Amino acid sequence: MPQDLDDLRYALAFAEQEDMPLVVIGGAANLLVSDRALQGVVVKLQGILGGAEFAGDEVSVGAGMPLSALLREAAAQGLGGPRAPGGDSATVGGALATNARTAEGAFIKYCSAIYFLHPDGTLGEHAPWGPTGWRTFESAGGRHPRGCRLRLERRPALVDRRRCSIG
């Protein structure tokens, strides 16, 4: 498991140099592997890309962050947005890679940018296009999602009814 982006770049370079397939996983909550194992370089992103930085109504979040943790942190800051997608996505990267859907529609519709890593280790950013934004993010050309920036909404604070008294 890479400890930082330099470790991740090293893994990408190694896989390319040795002509080995690269398999990127997040939390591996929904991962099935053959008894014959994987032949290639496996990179788990949950450690180094498992955090979130909030700035106003937006959050920059790593691909390895569990969706449940992101939603909890957002709620603690009075923010809301997409509900947890249905299906098999347990991390932000999984939701991006599988074009996961929520009760409100596609998870990706909340993204104002998607950050990715090129096979050569350089970083890139994919921004929405057109008046309606995007529908999907294709990992064409070996690009691997490393996170995204989500637009969230301020939500009214919940009232703790156990502490309220009418008198």
Side-chain angles (χ1 to χ4, degrees), residues 14 23 33 68 77 89 99 110-111 128-129 135 143 149:
F14 179 80
V23 178
V33 180
S68 58
Q77 298 208 21
S89 302
N99 298 314
Y110 292 93
C111 295
W129 48 268
R135 298 270 189 265
R143 298 182 306 172
R149 186 173 55 240

Side-chain angles (χ1 to χ4, degrees), residues 40-53:
V41 176
V42 178
V43 177
K44 185 174 182 181
L45 297 181
Q46 191 170 21
I48 65 166
L49 299 177
E53 292 181 22

Side-chain angles (χ1 to χ4, degrees), residues 28-143:
N30 300 303
L31 179 68
L32 295 175
V33 180
S34 165
D35 290 340
R36 293 178 280 165
L38 292 172
Q39 300 299 315
V41 176
V42 178
V43 177
K44 185 174 182 181
L45 297 181
Q46 191 170 21
I48 65 166
L49 299 177
E53 292 181 22
F54 289 84
D57 293 349
E58 290 194 324
V59 58
S60 290
V61 58
M65 180 155 202
L67 289 167
S68 58
L70 170 62
L71 298 175
R72 269 194 313 274
E73 285 189 38
Q77 298 208 21
L79 296 169
R83 294 189 182 134
D88 295 330
S89 302
T91 62
V92 169
L96 293 171
T98 63
N99 298 314
R101 300 193 57 79
T102 71
E104 297 87 7
F107 178 81
I108 201 167
K109 83 176 189 177
Y110 292 93
C111 295
S112 56
I114 295 176
Y115 311 121
F116 59 89
L117 204 57
H118 289 284
D120 66 1
T122 58
L123 303 176
E125 182 174 324
H126 183 69
W129 48 268
T132 59
W134 46 39
R135 298 270 189 265
T136 64
F137 171 74
E138 301 297 331
S139 293
R143 298 182 306 172

